[in-house]
Amino acid sequence: MKNDQSLSKVPNLINAKSVPNIDASELNSKEFYQEYILKNKPCLIKGAIKHWPAYSNWKNLDFLKSKINDEVVSTFTKPQLITDLGFISSEQRKDKALNEQPKSQQSTFKEVIDQINDYDFLMTELPYKKLMSDLGTFEFKQELGKEGLNYNTYAVMLHKKSLSALHYHPYTDALMCQLFAKKRVILFAPKTKNWNGLNEYLSHESKWWDLDHKKYTSLSQIEPYEVIVESGDALFIPNWWWHLVESIDNEVGFTIPHWWHSPLR
């Protein structure tokens, strides 16, 4: 990935707000539900998944090869940067998809790992059902009824120097869990000024590293939050919060999103 492909040009990032940081050992399910889920308020939960077997087991990629060595996985070696949430016309969507959206490659997991040092950018979804024994629970999250909607309740993403498109999760809340490599997440609350600015931009563009602030004047009003998610942490992302995600180092890591139906949907 080119050095200029980063989130450093997101408008007003210099004045970005922070979200509450809470140690997982000090957060109970009642507080998490009442203060964050019901209030649609993000928070960073430090050490949320350090008790998971994956936290120690997956440091050794040979351990994962022993579980899913010959599984065929879809791999992206360029960022997926097209946002398609109904804001772009069919013609614009078609043109963007043809010109910019990368194609996935089919490889075995073994092939991906054996070539891991050759990748400048990598995003691969792993067969999470075969890895569930290494994933754990969240002591601060009570069961909230039917989970998942159109999503799996979990996903496991192997990555190296990743960068996501701007998107939100309609109807679902999420915990973005991180193992090993650090990530930066830029969040935007579901407020009118943010929606207006992002909508104007998304109607024409998809690249956040090549913004013309003078052309899209409503972007000057957006209010970003910035969060650094480290290994063992989980970021709570409420439904309808726009967000962008990027790696901030060149390390191999895993992002494990966990979704459930939001009670506010």
Side-chain angles (χ1 to χ4, degrees), residues 71-85:
E71 290 284 331
V72 176
V73 295
S74 294
T75 298
F76 289 92
T77 57
K78 293 182 180 180
Q80 293 176 279
L81 299 168
I82 306 303
T83 301
D84 188 358
L85 293 168

Side-chain angles (χ1 to χ4, degrees), residues 126-142:
L126 306 183
Y128 82 97
K129 290 184 179 179
K130 293 195 173 184
L131 302 172
M132 284 300 292
S133 61
D134 286 320
L135 308 184
T137 59
F138 307 94
E139 294 184 2
F140 53 84
K141 177 183 169 291
Q142 62 187 7

Side-chain angles (χ1 to χ4, degrees), residues 32-216:
F32 182 54
Y33 186 71
Q34 293 184 349
E35 295 300 319
Y36 298 99
I37 292 178
L38 289 184
K39 293 183 179 180
N40 207 44
K41 179 180 177 182
C43 65
L44 179 64
I45 305 166
K46 303 292 294 182
I49 61 169
K50 284 188 174 181
H51 63 289
W52 287 12
Y55 187 76
S56 56
N57 291 343
W58 293 7
K59 291 177 181 178
N60 181 358
L61 293 177
D62 287 335
F63 174 87
L64 284 172
K65 287 171 70 174
S66 71
K67 287 197 165 191
I68 56 173
N69 194 50
D70 297 320
E71 290 284 331
V72 176
V73 295
S74 294
T75 298
F76 289 92
T77 57
K78 293 182 180 180
Q80 293 176 279
L81 299 168
I82 306 303
T83 301
D84 188 358
L85 293 168
F87 294 93
I88 304 173
S89 71
S90 59
E91 283 303 311
Q92 288 173 315
R93 200 156 49 232
K94 180 180 178 181
D95 291 342
K96 287 173 181 290
L98 287 174
N99 295 328
E100 300 180 35
Q101 194 74 326
K103 303 292 185 182
S104 64
Q105 304 171 8
Q106 300 297 306
S107 310
T108 65
F109 180 72
K110 178 183 184 301
E111 290 172 334
V112 172
I113 297 306
D114 288 347
Q115 301 173 44
I116 196 79
N117 292 325
D118 297 332
Y119 293 109
D120 293 323
F121 174 97
L122 177 68
M123 179 65 76
T124 301
E125 184 169 3
L126 306 183
Y128 82 97
K129 290 184 179 179
K130 293 195 173 184
L131 302 172
M132 284 300 292
S133 61
D134 286 320
L135 308 184
T137 59
F138 307 94
E139 294 184 2
F140 53 84
K141 177 183 169 291
Q142 62 187 7
E143 292 305 313
L144 299 172
K146 182 180 179 181
E147 299 195 8
L149 193 60
N150 293 321
Y151 302 100
N152 296 317
T153 54
Y154 286 89
V156 177
M157 308 301 298
L158 169 69
H159 66 83
K160 181 181 178 183
K161 201 61 181 172
S162 63
L163 177 66
S164 79
L166 181 70
H167 65 287
Y168 61 83
H169 305 146
Y171 313 120
T172 59
D173 292 328
L175 284 166
M176 190 196 105
C177 308
Q178 188 63 27
L179 286 176
F180 314 136
K182 297 179 183 179
K183 283 193 170 183
R184 171 161 64 167
V185 182
I186 309 298
L187 297 156
F188 303 95
K191 295 181 178 180
T192 300
K193 65 172 67 176
N194 289 333
W195 282 83
N196 288 344
L198 298 173
N199 186 19
E200 179 188 19
Y201 180 71
L202 289 172
S203 296
H204 302 88
E205 308 288 349
S206 63
K207 296 178 180 178
W208 280 92
W209 56 84
D210 193 24
L211 281 169
D212 184 344
H213 292 204
K214 295 180 180 179
K215 183 176 180 181
Y216 303 108

Side-chain angles (χ1 to χ4, degrees), residues 1-15:
M1 188 165 62
K2 296 178 182 179
N3 291 332
D4 59 349
Q5 294 184 5
S6 76
L7 304 183
S8 60
K9 291 187 178 180
V10 170
N12 301 326
L13 191 59
I14 192 171
N15 297 315

